[in-house]
Amino acid sequence: MTEAMDDAACGSRYSKIEEDLAVLGESFGLGEIQACRFLPNGLMNGNWRLETAEGAFALKRIMDVPLPLARRNLAVLAELADAGVPVGRPLATSSGQTVAEVAGRGYCLIPWMEGGHQPGTELTLDQAGDLGVLLGQIHRSLNDERTARLLPPGSEPLAASVTTPGAAHAEADRFLAVIAALESPAAFDAEAAQALGERKVLLDKYGSERPATEVAAGPVGWTHGDVQHRNVLWRDGKIAGVIDWDRIRVRPFGEEVARTATVQFGGEDGFLDLERTAAFVAGYRSVVPIPVPALADAVERLWWKRMSDYWQLVFHYDRDDYSCDHLFLPAERFLAWWTAQREVVQEAFAAMP
């Protein structure tokens, strides 16, 4: 290679990439690998840009899902590409596999798609609407006859456990005990302890308003699972591609609409951009006519999930993985804002096409 990867910048879990590249280059028929650049934006998997004799490619080390599931998802991706959804078609190895394994590590390869990520309010209102239309097209394509041979019918109502206020309170206390036992707490630990105290206040005040049932309202089907600014590429003001299809699952459509809007237009800034959310929802409903009550139910379920969940702290304290620390405090600020503005948030999700 003419440009070596910087292992120090990538972290120890990516340190074997150089010795794997020779095998991968031969498996995928890439010819000479001229450069390999680590892409730091991915949170759950390892990602690199390869420059090769055959062109530029996105290489992913699959770490977030089992490899058989990754193979199924990549097969779905090929069908979506045939249907005109803006996705990259996965390459196959010389043995016809879309996942190459090297010493138990799984990789997939997709032609590089040019474009950039546009977070939050960098989208215009028209672009927010285009994102909603795209999500609707993804839902329709994942559940049409093209994918029927790969994905079984997924239209049955789903039950999902609703965390009780007591359980959420106990989890907060567990993390507070972990922090209190630290010999040399860092700034993050002090900030987390303060945020946990504030979360317990919210739980005491709003615990009685959690969803009453475990079955979500509205249509259910196969979904992408992580449509948001880190996984959508834009070029010249238009959507150029959707990446990261590891989380294809059966979910209520409203759940993904609510999650996409709140990740794309809220969170890091501490509030939800209601105008762009409304444009996004209107775009989605122009493709998938989901009823307003189903969206309202999905929004409340997501609000309570955020209220009762501590996934960033699970990563930090239970797994010694600090890669998502920067997401914790912005999420806490957003939760406090959302809790105080639940009615106006619901109005934005009721937007008509």
Side-chain angles (χ1 to χ4, degrees):
M1 295 193 320
T2 59
E3 179 183 334
M5 191 188 74
D6 183 355
D7 281 339
C10 299
S12 60
R13 65 175 174 167
Y14 305 119
S15 60
K16 296 184 182 297
I17 184 65
E18 290 201 23
E19 61 190 68
D20 290 354
L21 281 178
V23 178
L24 293 171
E26 183 176 350
S27 295
F28 285 109
L30 299 180
E32 180 189 1
I33 297 178
Q34 300 158 347
C36 174
R37 178 167 61 88
F38 176 69
L39 305 174
N41 291 334
L43 295 178
M44 303 301 178
N45 302 286
N47 297 277
W48 298 265
R49 175 187 167 103
L50 302 185
E51 298 283 351
T52 79
E54 297 297 318
F57 298 91
L59 175 69
K60 174 185 289 187
R61 180 181 295 172
I62 302 164
M63 304 169 70
D64 198 32
V65 297
L67 297 187
L69 185 58
R71 291 187 180 93
R72 185 207 67 182
N73 292 347
L74 290 166
V76 171
L77 203 57
E79 292 293 335
L80 295 180
D82 288 342
V85 179
V87 299
R89 187 185 301 277
L91 271 69
T93 66
S94 56
S95 61
Q97 301 296 314
T98 54
V99 174
E101 293 188 56
V102 184
R105 296 180 289 275
Y107 295 88
C108 64
L109 194 71
I110 292 176
W112 186 262
M113 293 187 289
E114 294 295 338
H117 304 291
Q118 293 187 209
T121 54
E122 288 187 14
L123 298 187
T124 66
L125 291 179
D126 285 344
Q127 288 174 326
D130 290 344
L131 183 62
V133 169
L134 172 70
L135 184 62
Q137 292 171 339
I138 288 172
H139 286 177
R140 290 183 62 175
S141 297
L142 282 174
N143 294 277
D144 69 12
E145 59 185 16
R146 281 182 175 271
T147 59
R149 65 182 180 83
L150 299 170
L151 300 173
S155 58
E156 294 298 317
L158 296 176
S161 62
V162 178
T163 304
T164 65
H169 213 286
E171 186 73 341
D173 286 337
R174 180 175 76 85
F175 285 118
L176 285 169
V178 170
I179 295 169
L182 295 173
E183 291 185 3
S184 302
F188 178 85
D189 302 309
E191 292 167 341
Q194 179 177 342
L196 285 166
E198 294 169 356
R199 181 83 75 92
K200 288 170 65 177
V201 171
L202 292 179
L203 286 166
D204 289 339
K205 186 174 182 179
Y206 295 100
S208 62
E209 299 179 29
R210 71 187 179 103
T213 67
E214 294 188 344
V215 178
V220 172
W222 291 94
T223 61
H224 175 282
D226 199 17
V227 175
Q228 43 121 328
H229 59 86
R230 296 179 184 87
N231 293 328
V232 178
L233 297 171
W234 296 80
R235 187 174 64 246
D236 299 328
K238 303 295 183 182
I239 296 172
V242 183
I243 61 176
D244 197 359
W245 291 79
D246 293 339
R247 301 184 185 182
I248 297 174
R249 300 284 192 284
V250 175
R251 300 177 178 88
F253 289 162
E255 176 183 317
E256 182 151 64
V257 173
R259 183 184 184 277
T260 295
T262 54
V263 174
Q264 178 72 40
F265 304 117
E268 295 181 9
D269 294 326
F271 65 92
L272 182 66
D273 188 304
L274 299 172
E275 194 174 16
R276 284 171 174 77
T277 296
F280 165 79
V281 171
Y284 178 84
R285 296 185 71 206
S286 71
V287 180
V288 179
I290 186 171
V292 170
L295 285 172
D297 178 74
V299 171
E300 284 296 279
R301 289 179 185 278
L302 184 58
W303 164 75
W304 181 253
K305 182 177 180 180
R306 301 279 177 85
M307 179 74 78
S308 58
D309 184 55
Y310 309 89
W311 70 269
Q312 301 97 333
L313 299 188
V314 170
F315 272 53
H316 182 98
Y317 293 110
D318 295 346
R319 303 181 186 177
D320 292 325
D321 182 342
Y322 307 145
S323 62
C324 297
D325 285 3
H326 65 290
L327 300 177
F328 178 65
L329 290 179
E332 292 300 297
R333 291 193 294 270
F334 180 46
L335 175 63
W337 178 90
W338 187 353
T339 302
Q341 303 289 335
R342 284 161 67 197
E343 289 188 10
V344 294
V345 169
Q346 286 287 6
E347 291 173 5
F349 278 93
M352 297 293 290

